[in-house]
Amino acid sequence: MAKTKTFYKCTNCENTSPRWIGQCPNCQEWNSFVEKVESNLENNFLHNKTSINTEKLILKKLFDIKTETQDRMLSGYLEWDRVMGGGILPGSFIILTGDPGIGKSTLLLQVANKISSNKKVIYFSSEESLQQVKNRAQRLDIPENSNLLFSDQSNLEAIIQVALIEKPDILILDSIQNCSLSENSSVIPGTVGQLREAGFLLCKLAKENNIAILITGHITKEGHIAGPKVLEHIVDGVFYLQGEDKWQTRILRSVKNRFGTIQETGFFEMGTDGMQEVPDINRLILHEASENPGSALISSIEGSRPLLLELQSLCVTSKFGMPQRIITGIDPKRIILIAAILEKYLHIKFSSQDIFFKVSGGFKIKTTSCDLGIALSLLSSYFQKPLPEKSISIAEISLTGQIKPVNQIELQIGEAEKFGINKIFISKSQKLKSSSNTISFKNIYELIKLFPE
Ligand code: TYD
Ligand code: MG
């Protein structure tokens, strides 16, 4: 009979060792090594001794696979439902994460209450007592006769038992970091190992019983273990609740979604009676936009909809040999690159200018369709001349100074026109169905005509 070999594995960083050690040499964690049995899989295959019963494995053609369409569970909060990919899919396993105090519990309680009007929802509050949950619910005007079921159970095995008996449509666990596994589990509480084990158990529960599971997790500061990052590959969806813009709005963003688009955003505002939806964020942004020199409007596609944002630049002659570049909201290299292209082809000495640049409202953008907007914002500040009123730029710029087309232009133009924007700067080679409000440019030499003497 083949001898089973054992080894020791760190539950924190997965480092292995042939013998037990008190402190992991890799992650410096104490008492993190547990005994593991080496897998015999390789051995079995080599000696053709596999114990898997292949008779039960049936291979199917696409035609033979049953089509199952499941209705998504809607909360009625359009911002939430859209980010989820059109509601929560039964049996999906998702995590909502964000800084402590950002409003995860508040938002979940509101959403859970709405869904509980026609679905069975259980809310396990492992962080707060039932009294605290009740106080919050009263603040949020959730009626006492709401169908939502609550428990402050934090032991994961007990939670799973309850779920198997009650068979809810949605199980909410707030938060996963506060849950404990049973005492005889070999992994240490509060470690990555435990979080991962809890993740696997919940994933199994969700898939085998068609229960949608929604868990929350705090982002822990660097160096702290047991962050929700380790769960990202197990779950079907990762959603971040962030609050970085200046209106104190909370942005719900899909970072991973097996059943919907990613980078989809939903906007909420935290008020005295909970999270209110902000359905028209673009109106709020445009209301604040100025028409002064240095300001340029751009559009950035977030998930399935465009955000209209204002870029602001300030260019002043540098007093030092090394000009300053103070840039927020976008990769600084992008601004430096566009400034270099303008310098090369238009002979404007941006290299002797200090450049201060920001995306207004505290938003962060990654899109390259804002290139033209960056160029016009820089030129507008340099010449101290405002861009034409009610204008927006949607185009990329190549290293050779050509103005390039972008994707999903119709959608972006449609959104801009909704707010009365009637001068849409695009590339001459952009293909369009209708173009009554567009002004097109072939290369950056043509931009100068926007700044007449
Ligand atoms: P919470 O949902 O507990 O955050 P998280 O679960 O992400 O840690 O929100 C906590 C903050 O929100 C707290 O500072 C109080 C504030 N708050 C409001 O401003 N209005 C409200 O209606 C509620 C319930 C909370
Ligand atoms: Mg909370």
PDB file of all heavy atoms in Angstrom, residues 105 127-128 174, ligand 2:
ATOM      1  N   SER A 105     -23.796  48.353   5.267  1.00  0.00           N
ATOM      2  CA  SER A 105     -24.910  47.755   6.014  1.00  0.00           C
ATOM      3  C   SER A 105     -26.197  48.505   5.730  1.00  0.00           C
ATOM      4  O   SER A 105     -27.257  47.897   5.592  1.00  0.00           O
ATOM      5  CB  SER A 105     -24.617  47.786   7.509  1.00  0.00           C
ATOM      6  OG  SER A 105     -23.390  47.169   7.767  1.00  0.00           O
ATOM      7  N   GLU A 127     -21.970  41.541  12.949  1.00  0.00           N
ATOM      8  CA  GLU A 127     -21.210  42.656  13.512  1.00  0.00           C
ATOM      9  C   GLU A 127     -22.005  43.447  14.537  1.00  0.00           C
ATOM     10  O   GLU A 127     -21.449  44.064  15.425  1.00  0.00           O
ATOM     11  CB  GLU A 127     -20.808  43.616  12.381  1.00  0.00           C
ATOM     12  CG  GLU A 127     -19.374  43.480  12.032  1.00  0.00           C
ATOM     13  CD  GLU A 127     -18.956  44.303  10.841  1.00  0.00           C
ATOM     14  OE1 GLU A 127     -19.611  45.306  10.535  1.00  0.00           O
ATOM     15  OE2 GLU A 127     -17.956  43.927  10.236  1.00  0.00           O
ATOM     16  N   GLU A 128     -23.309  43.489  14.327  1.00  0.00           N
ATOM     17  CA  GLU A 128     -24.136  44.331  15.189  1.00  0.00           C
ATOM     18  C   GLU A 128     -25.201  43.488  15.868  1.00  0.00           C
ATOM     19  O   GLU A 128     -25.650  42.478  15.334  1.00  0.00           O
ATOM     20  CB  GLU A 128     -24.797  45.429  14.350  1.00  0.00           C
ATOM     21  CG  GLU A 128     -23.789  46.483  13.936  1.00  0.00           C
ATOM     22  CD  GLU A 128     -24.234  47.312  12.760  1.00  0.00           C
ATOM     23  OE1 GLU A 128     -25.443  47.330  12.475  1.00  0.00           O
ATOM     24  OE2 GLU A 128     -23.376  47.930  12.135  1.00  0.00           O
ATOM     25  N   ASP A 174     -23.380  39.915   7.054  1.00  0.00           N
ATOM     26  CA  ASP A 174     -22.732  41.224   7.247  1.00  0.00           C
ATOM     27  C   ASP A 174     -21.992  41.212   8.573  1.00  0.00           C
ATOM     28  O   ASP A 174     -22.590  41.360   9.622  1.00  0.00           O
ATOM     29  CB  ASP A 174     -23.839  42.292   7.239  1.00  0.00           C
ATOM     30  CG  ASP A 174     -23.300  43.697   7.350  1.00  0.00           C
ATOM     31  OD1 ASP A 174     -22.094  43.871   7.185  1.00  0.00           O
ATOM     32  OD2 ASP A 174     -24.100  44.618   7.610  1.00  0.00           O
TER      33      ASP A 174
HETATM   34 MG    MG B   2     -21.541  47.434   8.493  1.00  0.00          MG
END
